[in-house]
Amino acid sequence: MLVSLLARSRTTTYSDMCVNVTHDSHVSKMEQSESSHDEEDEGPTRAKRGKPEVVQNGLLRPVTLSRGDLYKPPTADELNQLKEAESLFHCSLLKMQMEELLKEVSLSERRKQLIDSFVQSVTEQLQTVPQTSDMELSDLSWLSGGVKVPFVLVPKAAKGKFHMAPPISVTIIGSYPLGTCTKPGISVDLAVAIPADVLHPKDALNQRYPRKRAIYLAGLAQHLAASPAIGAMRYSCLHGNRLRPILLLSPPGKDSSSFTLRLHACPPPGFFKPSRFHPQRNNIRTDWYTGLGTTSEPPTPHYNSSVLGDMLPSAHLQFLTAVSSQCAAFAEGVALLKVWLRQRELDQGVGCFSGFLGSMLLAYLLSCHRVSNTMTAYQLLRNSLHFLAFNDLTENGITLAKGPDSTAPSLAEFHTAFQVVFVDPSGHLNMCADMTACTYKQVQHEASLSLQFWDDPTVDGFHALLMTPKPMIRTSDHVFQLCELVKLQCCCKKLNLLSELMDHSGNYVLTALPFILSLLQRGLGQRVRLLTHSLTPDPEWPVESDAPKHNTQPPLSFGLLLNPEQAASVLERGPPADSPKAEEFRQLWGSRSELRRFQDGDITEAVVWEGETTCQKRLVPRQLITHLLLSLLLSHADIPESCVRYIGGMLDDVIKVGREVCSTGEEESLKVVQSYDDLSRKLWTLEGLPLSITSVQGAHPALRYTQVFPPVPLKLDYSFFDREKYAICVCSTMNPSRLPSPVVVICHMEGSGKWPHDRVAIRHIKAAFHISLGELLTQHHHYTCQPSPTHLDVWKDGLVFRIQVAYHREPQVLRESVSPEGLLIVRDNAEAQALEMATMQRPLLTSTLHGLQQLHPCFGAVCRLAKRWLGAQLFSDDITEDTADLLVASLFLQPAPFTPPGSPQVGFLRFLHLLSSFDWRNNPLVVNLNSQLTAADYTEIKNDFIASRESLPVMFMATPNDKKVSIWTKQAPTVQMLQRVVMVAAESLKILEPQLMDTSQIQDVVMRPPLDPYDVLIHLSPKQVPLLSQAVDPPHATFSRGILAGRVANTGGALPVIDFNPVTHYLAELRDAFGDLALFFYDPYGGTVIAVLWKPKAFTPLPFKTSQMVARRVEVSGEEAHTVPNVEAILEDFRVMGQGLVKSVEPRTERWVV
Amino acid sequence: MAPSRSKHANQTCVIPGGFTVLSLQFSTDIVAQHKICVKEHRVRAEKTTQRPLDRTLFVLNIPPYCSEGVIKELFSQFGPVQSVELREKPGSFEHSGPKLAKYFTPAQKQRFRVGYIVFQKAISITAVKSHPHDVPLVVSTEQRPVWTGLQKWIHQYKQSFAQPDKLQEAVDTFMQDYDTRKEQEAERQKEEAEEQLEDEEGWVKVTRGKSGTKTRPHSEVSNQKALQKESRKRKRKELMNFYTWQHRNTQKEHIAELRKKFEEDKQRIALLRAQRKFRPY
């Protein structure tokens, strides 16, 4: 599937210069319309406006205003506007963005007309519902045409009479008349009042009213089914509440998906007395529900509130209309709040924070003067988020009721019955009845998070606040799912929740959920910052089928936001053995709890989880949750694994280092860093060098914990290798399986007048330093050393360190040259830049990122996953290691609207999202390392970027030390490659996320590159690929000849073969020879195939020129000679140049012709 | 009809520009052939002894696996070869700097190159040019195999190890050489400086061209520094908030700034709107 999606014709990739793939079509369309518009305009008007040609091929250009425009005297109006933008918003940009967004979500006039006319016709239809004669409630024989009743009729028996009759009134309620209805998913609510003679005053008892309501709806459905003016009809239920089914109508024809009409049946106004539905009263008799007689009748608050909810909508609408007429920006404020909620997946499903609650919240804030009537939508949103962030409705509920009705329940009574309390204007209904405390906490968390980055001028607040979707899998560090929800039924029995089950009318998922959540909360304790759960989506089913059972719901997902310090601890320390809490602790943990004596002398209850390596420890929450849930769900030994699906470390496999011990490389990296620290200490203390060492810095990914496969200490079996002179063994049979890759260390030498001022001489002096450093290290510490002109290899602890001496003035010397007139000219050149990068910038980056790893323990793992993906997709040469590390660092440094990633998996998903969604064309990515950049710096970077966009790299990343150049992305990627990376990242994300959430088994599809876009494949012989064991699909048998197990000796021993990778040699030769004609792609982590792509212009004939005669043959036509690539010979050269390494060359001639 | 083709069209192949095309294959068991173009070296302006005009052959499109040695062997079938020079781009002969030890010569890129082959006799050139087109030159034969691929890389790897004492020796010789060169340079400068000094009677010898050097800054950087210093000085002397018009101007500037920002934002919005960037979902 991926393959087919990614297949693309070469011409589109190369001709299309626009980076942002997804919007191409729109852009071009818009441009066309705009340009045509411009043509209609007269030339002079355009000139007079003095406006720059905005949006020329989708690229921002520096604004140029004429002097006259800039300095003309301002009008009072303009002055006001400018001042307002400056003081209220950060800038006018945010204000304009909000306005645009509102335009985007509001309904068009055309759509409103459509809705109005459809409502009109439905109303007319409804008035003609035929009257039927009285019959028993349980007798449904009059329903024909296959229409079913949208209700689970359990228990079956129900008393009462029923007959169909036309509704006494049909009114529009909800968001549409209020003007707060937003796109997408437009739904218009229509309240259909059931005539009073159909109902009986005592119908509120024992689900009689909800049943009548459902049957009435079925009757309406039956009547409407015959009508041609109505499209598809489906049932659903309001916010997932099975007691409140609704009928969804869509208009016929092509408008069928543009909106839905929701029919609510409701009792005639004032039919039931609201005081009957006090949360502490019982309205479902136990003996009716269970068939067993009991003396106590438990209160049924949820049932009560759902009946009550049916009676009040029109009152609510009146209330809200009154409020919104006072406040001009009310509708817009609600719309913004709705968008905010929707991006966080909070606005739909059971117990959601719906748009209705949003309107009510704003009404509350207005009524208690927290916000004023004159505020703008922007301020309304901000204030409501502020209120949400700092007010805990689970503890202190709020009420909209003004004059307290004597029969209305008090807030305290509401609190005992419900978890979250927000009472409506009538004082009887808790509008948050179904909401769990966890959901409210999530809302609070999101609100306070939003406020945090809102004011931060360095964050694109608008984008983070309203434009970025936050699906659970990308938000939570770990996610787990509860499959097989039927198990919850026995869980209800076990927890003795029969009365609650009755209250929820048999919905065991909703009944058990609060208990599961509180259990998890207790068990996880300090390990998590936030526990969230998915809101079960509203079921929808056709009118011809029965209401779905509770067990057909999709699995419940729970999200954990981990506390990085405590989440991975293997020890759960409980209370002392003799304290009263110990019993509770033992009960929670059951057999896992044991008494332990600690070093400080305490004897306490404790639970110890398994986990040795970081990778295993990261999954401690999984052990814990599995333990808790299984003990809850299963009475007997059932199939435990299928019940709980834990999604936390699914991706770790591809970066696992050892096959024996499960580890994702943290331990190995730590060993390398420790060994390096030791070496650097020893270097500092060396005596006898002509100049002293001023700094020793690591310049290698392994030293910042981000090497995909960190070097593993080796113990060599010397008897295996041929002994050569110089005490260096080179295995002539060349079957190296684990080649130690050298860890680069930069060693700066003191500046002195004795350094020569000549580039060649400096290189010689550096060589001399390498020799003497090597001698000293051998003398004092008995390390085996091998100096060379460019570096010194040191064999230490089974690792190879490559020390490079650097002289800080060398780049300067490289830049200087003397003109013929004797003038000293300083000119920047590539050589100097490369040297500066290797000796200064890379060490600096390494130490900075090393620091970041100390702050965020999973930074390294995310980098490794990201780089493994880039490697697997053959992008390693385009997005280099340093670039990838910086990209990941930006995820941690500027996580808005998320929190910094707490697990490798979520970090990786966000990396893919960043790659695929960032607008590289018009925005610089600012990586604020060490928070050195201020807001002023950000604007400066942005302005510089826009001013010289054309000449800057396509992927522009600014860091505190590099604000204008983007050194790390200067060479690569190119426009075309970046475009492809963006596309592949988007596809990978699209495939990976559902795969993680849905299927039970994971395929590494995203780690397998689609090979069919390439023109030639060079297959390598796997035996000669040294890093084969790192491949995504590693071979079963790994070659590890010449390596012994056991502890590594610290010093001595001959050097192994260092950094000899035939494939890199081969690639370098190929690129040198044929770089003008083709691109070469390779997975550096054990890939066995090199993919070749001809450049688009490779095959066009060129006129014969002596300087362009590269692997070409001449074709003579008349007087002129042209050259074309000699493809046959080139393909042969692929084979010749890789003799011994290449297995076969597979030209895919179906893709190209010469 | 085609004047470019010589009459031996079936044997030699001459193309416009005067080049003769030869075939070259890596070994006999490989079918594919590279086409190399040869021509006698003929450049008007060149007057070096390195490339005598009558005996030098200019060769295009030499595959990367052919080193100087291989080419020498390959072309000695046409007559004794005096020297071979391979370069990435055609051009005049360049003198490299001081001779470096092998450790310090930068690694060459494995590219297709052009070559200048100097034969000992001029007759060899015509021999090459009359070589039939369909008889390829063979690079690697049983007698003189050419290593590519793994074998070559292993060889290179082995060669890359420098013995510390040899390396040290190379460094020492170079540095000695460098020091002597430096000393000579210093000597020369000193002599020049002495010439500028007054003699016993107070006379200074004025020579042409040397006099200007003292006033002219000797590097670009110091040049710029002087200019900057000047402009800073000028700025310091200015009075800032003194006149009313100055105050008015700052206010005007502020509004202009706000306006400019507004325009920028407008542009940004227009762009985003064009890209449908305001669709939240």
Side-chain angles (χ1 to χ4, degrees):
Chain A
M1 177 191 162
L2 179 67
V3 163
S4 67
L5 281 167
L6 297 184
R8 51 109 191 84
S9 68
R10 187 151 17 110
T11 47
T12 55
T13 317
Y14 283 100
S15 61
D16 233 26
M17 291 294 284
C18 185
V19 176
N20 221 319
V21 204
T22 44
H23 301 293
D24 275 1
S25 56
H26 301 309
V27 176
S28 55
K29 217 185 288 164
M30 291 306 286
E31 266 169 34
Q32 271 167 18
S33 67
E34 199 161 329
S35 59
S36 64
H37 177 72
D38 277 348
E39 274 161 34
E40 283 162 31
D41 266 3
E42 282 305 306
T45 52
R46 207 169 138 201
K48 209 166 70 186
R49 264 187 283 149
K51 229 172 112 185
E53 305 98 277
V54 172
V55 203
Q56 197 149 58
N57 53 46
L59 197 70
L60 286 179
R61 280 164 205 291
V63 170
T64 44
L65 284 173
S66 71
R67 250 193 97 72
D69 269 346
L70 264 183
Y71 294 102
K72 70 178 176 212
T75 59
D77 228 20
E78 191 192 357
L79 207 59
N80 269 344
Q81 221 170 24
L82 290 174
K83 283 272 153 63
E84 192 195 16
E86 193 190 14
S87 56
L88 273 184
F89 306 92
H90 288 309
C91 51
S92 43
L93 186 65
L94 186 59
K95 187 180 164 197
M96 286 193 267
Q97 279 173 323
M98 296 245 177
E99 281 163 8
E100 289 295 328
L101 175 74
L102 284 171
K103 264 186 230 163
E104 211 42 76
V105 295
S106 61
L107 305 189
S108 63
E109 280 307 313
R110 191 190 141 268
R111 186 96 56 124
K112 279 184 187 165
Q113 278 167 10
L114 266 180
I115 293 173
D116 288 339
S117 68
F118 186 61
V119 166
Q120 185 70 32
S121 74
V122 170
T123 315
E124 279 162 16
Q125 288 284 328
L126 288 174
Q127 299 299 353
T128 60
V129 173
Q131 190 98 16
T132 61
S133 56
D134 250 15
M135 61 204 109
E136 280 300 316
L137 189 54
S138 49
D139 175 19
L140 296 174
S141 54
W142 59 275
L143 270 178
S144 60
V147 175
K148 296 280 169 55
V149 177
F151 204 85
V152 185
L153 296 166
V154 176
K156 202 120 184 92
K159 288 195 295 185
K161 302 273 187 197
F162 179 82
H163 68 268
M164 267 319 277
I168 47 169
S169 71
V170 179
T171 47
I172 308 185
I173 53 165
S175 58
Y176 181 69
L178 200 58
T180 59
C181 190
T182 56
K183 285 193 279 194
I186 305 164
S187 55
V188 181
D189 300 80
L190 214 55
V192 180
I194 308 173
D197 53 341
V198 178
L199 301 173
H200 187 270
K202 291 211 96 180
D203 272 352
L205 217 57
N206 291 353
Q207 295 186 359
R208 252 178 321 211
Y209 162 69
R211 284 177 189 215
K212 279 191 179 171
R213 184 181 182 283
I215 294 169
Y216 191 78
L217 269 184
L220 292 183
Q222 187 188 356
H223 173 68
L224 293 175
S227 164
I230 288 160
M233 279 200 296
R234 298 171 72 77
Y235 286 129
S236 178
C237 36
L238 190 64
H239 301 321
N241 189 342
R242 292 310 186 85
L243 292 176
R244 302 173 73 181
I246 48 181
L247 182 61
L248 304 182
L249 305 177
S250 35
K254 63 177 171 59
D255 299 321
S256 62
S257 56
S258 69
F259 63 93
T260 47
L261 198 62
R262 306 198 289 185
L263 287 194
H264 305 250
C266 56
F271 190 80
F272 298 117
K273 264 202 303 196
S275 57
R276 288 191 58 132
F277 304 104
H278 192 283
Q280 269 153 13
R281 289 187 65 162
N282 169 282
N283 277 315
I284 295 183
R285 304 288 182 249
T286 321
D287 60 343
W288 172 79
Y289 189 77
T290 59
L292 307 165
T294 45
T295 48
S296 70
E297 295 291 354
T300 54
H302 289 97
Y303 174 79
N304 294 355
S305 69
S306 70
V307 177
L308 202 55
D310 263 359
M311 296 165 50
L312 295 167
S314 32
H316 289 160
L317 178 63
Q318 274 172 11
F319 170 74
L320 286 175
T321 317
V323 170
S324 73
S325 64
Q326 300 282 313
C327 172
F330 181 81
E332 291 183 344
V334 174
L336 286 183
L337 194 58
K338 271 174 139 176
V339 172
W340 183 83
L341 286 166
R342 194 184 163 97
Q343 296 290 22
R344 281 148 186 79
E345 293 188 340
L346 284 165
D347 72 327
Q348 265 168 349
V350 182
C352 61
F353 198 99
S354 59
F356 167 67
L357 275 179
S359 323
M360 280 297 189
L361 180 74
L362 268 188
Y364 173 77
L365 294 181
L366 281 165
S367 70
C368 62
H369 305 293
R370 299 261 191 142
V371 295
S372 85
N373 287 331
T374 52
M375 281 185 175
T376 60
Y378 167 89
Q379 288 164 306
L380 289 181
L381 176 64
R382 196 186 162 98
N383 278 299
S384 38
L385 292 190
H386 191 270
F387 177 83
L388 283 174
F390 293 99
N391 287 278
D392 190 357
L393 299 191
T394 59
E395 298 288 328
N396 305 306
I398 50 174
T399 176
L400 272 165
K402 279 283 157 53
D405 182 355
S406 59
T407 57
S410 67
L411 276 179
E413 283 169 323
F414 275 119
H415 273 296
T416 52
F418 303 106
Q419 290 193 315
V420 186
V421 177
F422 182 13
V423 182
D424 81 323
S426 76
H428 290 279
L429 173 68
N430 177 18
M431 294 182 287
C432 297
D434 287 334
M435 196 182 288
T436 59
C438 277
T439 308
Y440 186 73
K441 291 276 185 235
Q442 189 187 353
V443 174
Q444 262 198 311
H445 171 82
E446 291 293 348
S448 61
L449 202 61
S450 296
L451 286 179
Q452 265 173 35
F453 60 72
W454 196 322
D455 276 336
D456 192 345
T458 64
V459 180
D460 181 1
F462 171 74
H463 215 267
L465 195 69
L466 295 168
M467 297 298 287
T468 317
K470 291 186 75 177
M472 181 186 268
I473 185 90
R474 223 179 292 153
T475 312
S476 308
D477 296 332
H478 285 183
V479 171
F480 67 94
Q481 287 182 326
L482 211 54
C483 309
E484 297 188 44
L485 293 173
V486 187
K487 292 266 166 27
L488 287 176
Q489 207 163 7
C490 57
C491 158
C492 286
K493 261 180 216 144
K494 212 171 154 194
L495 289 168
N496 213 357
L497 295 175
L498 215 65
S499 54
E500 279 84 358
L501 196 62
M502 192 167 82
D503 183 20
H504 281 104
S505 28
N507 193 341
Y508 43 84
V509 179
L510 287 189
T511 315
L513 188 60
F515 293 89
I516 294 176
L517 287 172
S518 80
L519 177 79
L520 288 173
Q521 200 90 58
R522 264 195 301 156
L524 288 165
Q526 291 299 307
R527 286 172 197 268
V528 290
R529 280 183 291 169
L530 185 71
L531 173 70
T532 59
H533 63 90
S534 67
L535 306 171
T536 318
D538 301 346
E540 268 187 36
W541 66 98
V543 288
E544 292 86 15
S545 56
D546 282 320
K549 299 265 164 42
H550 295 304
N551 59 11
T552 52
Q553 287 176 13
L556 265 181
S557 308
F558 296 82
L560 309 176
L561 212 56
L562 299 177
N563 204 348
E565 291 94 42
Q566 309 197 0
S569 107
V570 286
L571 175 78
E572 189 86 30
R573 201 165 157 176
D578 47 357
S579 90
K581 282 184 182 161
E583 182 54 38
E584 207 179 309
F585 188 82
R586 271 196 295 275
Q587 213 172 15
L588 185 64
W589 297 113
S591 55
R592 295 301 298 251
S593 165
E594 52 196 11
L595 270 183
R596 278 185 175 246
R597 185 166 182 279
F598 287 90
Q599 278 192 329
D600 55 0
D602 284 358
I603 300 177
T604 69
E605 293 285 342
V607 181
V608 178
W609 306 99
E610 292 96 34
E612 283 172 24
T613 60
T614 320
C615 145
Q616 287 165 336
K617 280 184 191 166
R618 238 186 268 131
L619 290 177
V620 164
R622 168 186 172 164
Q623 292 179 36
L624 201 140
I625 284 164
T626 325
H627 173 82
L628 286 175
L629 286 183
L630 292 188
S631 66
L632 182 75
L633 294 180
L634 306 170
S635 34
H636 313 291
D638 240 319
I639 329 116
E641 300 309 320
S642 64
C643 270
V644 181
R645 254 194 86 227
Y646 200 87
I647 307 152
M650 297 278 198
L651 295 170
D652 289 354
D653 276 345
V654 288
I655 52 164
K656 278 199 176 136
V657 178
R659 301 275 162 215
E660 308 83 40
V661 201
C662 165
S663 157
T664 49
E666 281 83 359
E667 286 69 30
E668 286 76 10
S669 295
L670 190 65
K671 254 181 216 152
V672 175
V673 172
Q674 281 167 349
S675 179
Y676 156 75
D677 284 342
D678 182 50
L679 177 69
S680 110
R681 235 188 339 271
K682 281 175 178 157
L683 281 173
W684 278 107
T685 51
L686 275 188
E687 277 172 19
L689 280 170
L691 291 173
S692 62
I693 295 173
T694 53
S695 78
V696 179
Q697 292 172 306
H700 193 261
L703 298 179
R704 52 192 191 224
Y705 302 90
T706 66
Q707 171 97 320
V708 179
F709 293 101
V712 181
L714 289 184
K715 189 180 183 188
L716 296 173
D717 180 4
Y718 288 109
S719 62
F720 180 78
F721 300 103
D722 306 340
R723 279 241 163 198
E724 301 255 334
K725 43 182 184 168
Y726 321 138
I728 289 152
C729 41
V730 177
C731 38
S732 50
T733 48
M734 270 304 156
N735 196 352
S737 70
R738 285 158 131 192
L739 290 169
S741 66
V743 178
V744 180
V745 177
I746 303 289
C747 192
H748 273 274
M749 287 296 174
E750 179 186 30
S752 146
K754 282 177 187 155
W755 279 94
H757 207 79
D758 174 89
R759 57 180 78 189
V760 187
I762 290 179
R763 269 168 54 206
H764 281 82
I765 295 291
K766 288 205 302 194
F769 269 119
H770 291 138
I771 298 170
S772 57
L773 266 179
E775 273 168 9
L776 286 173
L777 281 175
T778 318
Q779 235 174 54
H780 295 298
H781 304 292
H782 309 290
Y783 294 142
T784 310
C785 295
Q786 173 59 46
S788 86
T790 51
H791 57 256
L792 167 74
D793 284 335
V794 181
W795 175 237
K796 175 177 183 294
D797 304 338
L799 300 165
V800 178
F801 289 95
R802 177 161 287 183
I803 298 175
Q804 292 177 353
V805 167
Y807 169 48
H808 68 278
R809 280 184 53 80
E810 195 183 351
Q812 185 61 26
V813 172
L814 288 181
R815 279 191 185 113
E816 283 173 1
S817 61
V818 181
S819 73
E821 296 97 60
L823 192 70
L824 191 68
I825 311 172
V826 181
R827 286 284 175 275
D828 207 359
N829 55 25
E831 200 185 358
Q833 280 173 358
L835 185 75
E836 211 160 46
M837 190 146 135
T839 59
M840 293 176 190
Q841 278 136 353
R842 188 164 293 131
L844 189 67
L845 182 73
T846 304
S847 70
T848 317
L849 292 183
H850 181 273
L852 195 64
Q853 164 76 22
Q854 308 304 316
L855 282 177
H856 302 284
C858 70
F859 167 71
V862 178
C863 284
R864 286 205 295 276
L865 263 181
K867 286 196 271 192
R868 185 70 192 84
W869 176 82
L870 287 170
Q873 295 287 356
L874 316 179
F875 295 139
S876 282
D877 292 304
D878 297 292
I879 311 280
T880 57
E881 289 218 20
D882 304 306
T883 313
D885 284 349
L886 272 178
L887 279 172
V888 173
S890 78
L891 294 176
F892 283 84
L893 292 170
Q894 209 165 74
F898 301 100
T899 49
S903 75
Q905 168 192 299
V906 75
F908 176 60
L909 291 176
R910 283 189 216 161
F911 169 78
L912 288 182
H913 183 248
L914 174 76
L915 257 189
S916 58
S917 67
F918 194 82
D919 182 7
W920 294 106
R921 203 157 186 221
N922 290 313
N923 285 308
L925 180 73
V926 185
V927 188
N928 194 357
L929 295 168
N930 291 338
S931 335
Q932 279 172 2
L933 294 173
T934 59
D937 291 328
Y938 271 73
T939 22
E940 191 195 320
I941 289 171
K942 238 172 210 165
N943 291 342
D944 289 345
F945 173 80
I946 290 176
S948 52
R949 177 65 191 113
E950 237 101 292
S951 58
L952 292 172
V954 270
M955 194 178 195
F956 186 89
M957 292 205 289
T959 56
N961 294 311
D962 164 32
K963 291 183 204 164
K964 291 185 181 168
V965 190
S966 182
I967 42 173
W968 305 109
T969 55
K970 225 169 155 188
Q971 307 291 334
T974 57
V975 183
Q976 294 84 4
M977 281 319 293
L978 181 64
Q979 191 183 351
R980 178 149 174 83
V981 172
V982 166
M983 195 163 80
V984 174
E987 290 301 336
S988 297
L989 192 65
K990 222 193 290 175
I991 286 174
L992 188 59
E993 279 189 347
Q995 229 175 32
L996 284 175
M997 280 306 253
D998 283 346
T999 53
S1000 51
Q1001 114 231 39
I1002 286 293
Q1003 292 113 24
D1004 299 324
V1005 169
V1006 288
M1007 293 295 175
R1008 294 201 180 81
L1011 285 176
D1012 51 335
Y1014 300 102
D1015 295 330
V1016 181
L1017 298 182
I1018 304 175
H1019 296 279
L1020 307 177
S1021 131
K1023 263 193 178 171
Q1024 301 298 348
V1025 177
L1027 304 176
L1028 193 66
S1029 58
Q1030 299 177 349
V1032 176
D1033 308 300
H1036 294 298
T1038 45
F1039 318 103
S1040 52
R1041 290 195 278 164
I1043 290 164
L1044 292 180
R1047 245 185 64 78
V1048 181
N1050 283 340
T1051 54
L1055 272 178
V1057 178
I1058 302 161
D1059 204 23
F1060 176 80
N1061 192 343
V1063 190
T1064 37
H1065 283 280
Y1066 183 47
L1067 272 174
E1069 285 193 5
L1070 284 179
R1071 286 190 180 129
D1072 276 353
F1074 305 111
D1076 302 334
L1077 287 175
L1079 298 168
F1080 297 89
F1081 300 92
Y1082 178 66
D1083 176 5
Y1085 309 107
T1088 54
V1089 66
I1090 293 177
V1092 186
L1093 191 68
W1094 300 121
K1095 287 196 172 175
K1097 286 184 185 146
F1099 294 154
T1100 44
L1102 293 175
F1104 179 81
K1105 261 189 191 172
T1106 52
S1107 55
Q1108 284 175 345
M1109 192 60 194
V1110 172
R1112 287 169 165 270
R1113 62 193 162 76
V1114 187
E1115 279 178 354
V1116 182
S1117 57
E1119 281 294 316
E1120 288 173 30
H1122 286 275
T1123 58
V1124 287
N1126 190 353
V1127 179
E1128 206 184 332
I1130 290 171
L1131 292 180
E1132 204 51 66
D1133 279 354
F1134 288 169
R1135 220 163 287 157
V1136 168
M1137 287 162 74
Q1139 227 162 40
L1141 176 68
V1142 174
K1143 200 166 73 179
S1144 64
V1145 176
E1146 177 195 340
R1148 301 178 147 192
T1149 30
E1150 71 272 18
R1151 290 191 50 81
W1152 45 272
V1153 279
V1154 181
Chain B
M1 180 209 111
S4 59
R5 297 233 166 183
S6 75
K7 40 200 141 161
H8 315 288
N10 53 345
Q11 285 185 356
T12 61
C13 173
V14 181
I15 58 164
F19 282 94
T20 310
V21 180
L22 300 180
S23 312
L24 179 135
Q25 62 183 191
F26 182 72
S27 62
T28 42
D29 53 338
I30 286 172
V31 192
Q33 298 170 342
H34 272 295
K35 306 293 176 193
I36 60 173
C37 302
V38 298
K39 188 188 178 183
E40 63 272 36
H41 179 59
R42 202 178 291 144
V43 178
R44 254 167 269 146
E46 198 158 12
K47 275 178 258 158
T48 50
T49 51
Q50 302 290 333
R51 297 173 185 168
L53 288 180
D54 52 336
R55 290 186 283 132
T56 307
L57 187 72
F58 178 46
V59 190
L60 287 178
N61 199 20
I62 298 172
Y65 37 74
C66 296
S67 61
E68 273 93 347
V70 173
I71 291 291
K72 199 167 182 175
E73 288 271 330
L74 210 56
F75 279 88
S76 47
Q77 55 173 303
F78 303 110
V81 176
Q82 187 183 319
S83 69
V84 173
E85 185 199 345
L86 296 184
R87 304 163 48 95
E88 283 184 13
K89 284 261 150 67
S92 57
F93 188 80
E94 279 171 21
H95 276 285
S96 51
K99 181 130 176 58
L100 297 176
K102 69 164 182 175
Y103 309 114
F104 290 95
T105 39
Q108 270 188 332
K109 286 197 164 180
Q110 298 283 319
R111 290 213 159 143
F112 279 82
R113 285 176 288 184
V114 299
Y116 297 92
I117 303 171
V118 182
F119 286 102
Q120 280 176 7
K121 289 176 195 149
I123 189 87
S124 308
I125 303 253
T126 36
V128 175
K129 288 178 75 177
S130 60
H131 186 74
H133 170 245
D134 44 2
V135 179
L137 307 172
V138 179
V139 176
S140 176
T141 56
E142 296 254 326
Q143 292 83 38
R144 38 176 181 83
V146 173
W147 282 353
T148 58
L150 263 188
Q151 271 181 316
K152 186 176 104 184
W153 298 320
I154 291 172
H155 178 73
Q156 271 179 359
Y157 181 76
K158 283 184 187 168
Q159 291 300 308
S160 71
F161 287 99
Q163 233 172 333
D165 42 353
K166 289 236 177 90
L167 184 62
Q168 185 68 54
E169 206 183 293
V171 170
D172 288 345
T173 36
F174 176 85
M175 286 317 289
Q176 266 171 15
D177 185 37
Y178 176 76
D179 284 344
T180 44
R181 266 187 293 143
K182 273 272 130 140
E183 264 170 40
Q184 283 167 0
E185 179 78 2
E187 199 86 339
R188 199 173 54 80
Q189 279 184 355
K190 206 173 153 198
E191 271 171 27
E192 279 173 10
E194 269 171 12
E195 275 182 12
Q196 303 276 315
L197 287 181
E198 298 172 0
D199 61 12
E200 295 115 44
E201 290 170 25
W203 294 95
V204 178
K205 193 167 124 198
V206 179
T207 47
R208 201 169 144 266
K210 290 282 191 292
S211 56
T213 43
K214 276 203 173 166
T215 48
R216 199 194 310 149
H218 70 283
S219 95
E220 215 179 26
V221 180
S222 47
N223 229 344
Q224 275 167 1
K225 256 186 202 159
L227 279 176
Q228 271 172 5
K229 211 170 163 189
E230 196 79 347
S231 68
R232 256 205 307 270
K233 222 189 241 168
R234 215 175 301 136
K235 222 173 215 171
R236 212 168 344 130
K237 283 181 183 164
E238 242 174 304
L239 282 173
M240 281 319 286
N241 256 328
F242 187 74
Y243 300 105
T244 342
W245 60 264
Q246 279 176 328
H247 185 65
R248 216 166 40 224
N249 265 7
T250 41
Q251 275 184 331
K252 250 181 168 174
E253 284 297 331
H254 181 66
I255 287 193
E257 180 82 359
L258 284 180
R259 263 189 196 143
K260 199 166 168 206
K261 208 156 173 219
F262 184 67
E263 281 301 326
E264 269 170 19
D265 290 348
K266 264 211 309 225
Q267 186 197 351
R268 205 160 248 268
I269 292 285
L271 174 72
L272 292 175
R273 198 189 303 137
Q275 293 178 347
R276 308 272 171 113
K277 279 294 171 64
F278 292 108
R279 284 246 163 112
Y281 356 85

